[in-house]
């Protein structure tokens, strides 16, 4: 595994030699799975007082394997850089679900999950991947 300084150098080298490919539409990939309200809730949020279906960022906590699969699919399709599935992980957006107090957890978990997948694919292919 490379350290952060080596990863930055590798990214600079990549950007100096070609256009880097960013992953695609996470929401579209998630929607293909036709998840139910129960899928979004998972065990932890089973009794949450508001509807959670459609909160794709929540899946990082309740369905991390699915998010890992989506990240991996983008990398296997040729993406160099993953986003973190935290597009709406801010207090204003999460307030729609009454989850504004979980902003830090959403962002930290999303970043950690993406980094784990990027590192795994980098180890398998010998090509650094970025988050």
């Amino acid at each position: 595994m490379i350290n952060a300084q080596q990863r930055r150098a590798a990214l600079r080298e990549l950007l100096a030699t070609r256009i880097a490919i960013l992953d695609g539409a996470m929401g579209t990939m998630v929607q293909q799975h036709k998840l139910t309200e129960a899928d979004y809730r998972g065990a932890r949020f089973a009794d949450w007082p508001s509807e959670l279906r459609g909160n794709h960022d929540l899946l990082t906590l309740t369905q991390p394997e699915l998010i890992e699969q989506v990240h991996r699919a983008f990398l296997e399709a040729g993406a160099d850089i993953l986003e973190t599935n935290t597009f709406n992980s801010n207090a204003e957006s999460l307030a729609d679900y009454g989850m504004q107090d979980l902003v830090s957890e959403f962002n930290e978990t999303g970043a950690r999950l993406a980094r784990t997948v990027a590192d795994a694919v980098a180890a398998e292919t010998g090509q650094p991947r970025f988050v």
Side-chain angles (χ1 to χ4, degrees):
M1 183 183 324
I2 65 175
N3 64 36
Q5 184 178 1
Q6 293 167 318
R7 191 175 294 116
R8 283 190 297 273
L11 180 58
R12 282 191 294 274
E13 182 179 332
L14 171 68
L15 295 173
T17 58
R18 68 175 175 82
I19 296 171
I21 306 298
L22 185 65
D23 66 359
M26 179 65 74
T28 301
M29 295 290 281
V30 167
Q31 289 172 351
Q32 293 176 2
H33 292 274
K34 302 192 184 315
L35 301 175
T36 66
E37 177 70 19
D39 294 326
Y40 278 85
R41 289 177 176 274
R44 178 175 171 188
F45 299 100
D47 296 325
W48 199 258
S50 63
E51 184 174 333
L52 299 176
R53 187 168 182 258
N55 183 352
H56 298 326
D57 295 18
L58 176 61
L59 298 172
T60 299
L61 302 179
T62 62
Q63 301 287 332
E65 300 84 11
L66 172 64
I67 301 305
E68 287 176 358
Q69 289 173 0
V70 173
H71 284 322
R72 181 173 279 279
F74 282 127
L75 293 173
E76 290 175 351
D80 299 298
I81 305 171
L82 291 177
E83 295 175 285
T84 60
N85 191 41
T86 55
F87 185 79
N88 288 303
S89 292
N90 59 72
E92 186 173 331
S93 295
L94 290 178
D96 291 344
Y97 302 97
M99 298 184 140
Q100 61 275 13
D101 293 339
L102 300 173
V103 169
S104 292
E105 182 179 1
F106 274 54
N107 284 288
E108 290 169 13
T109 304
R112 195 174 313 110
L113 185 63
R115 178 79 268 147
T116 298
V117 175
D119 287 346
V121 172
E124 294 164 14
T125 64
Q127 295 179 302
R129 305 304 174 105
F130 307 97
V131 175

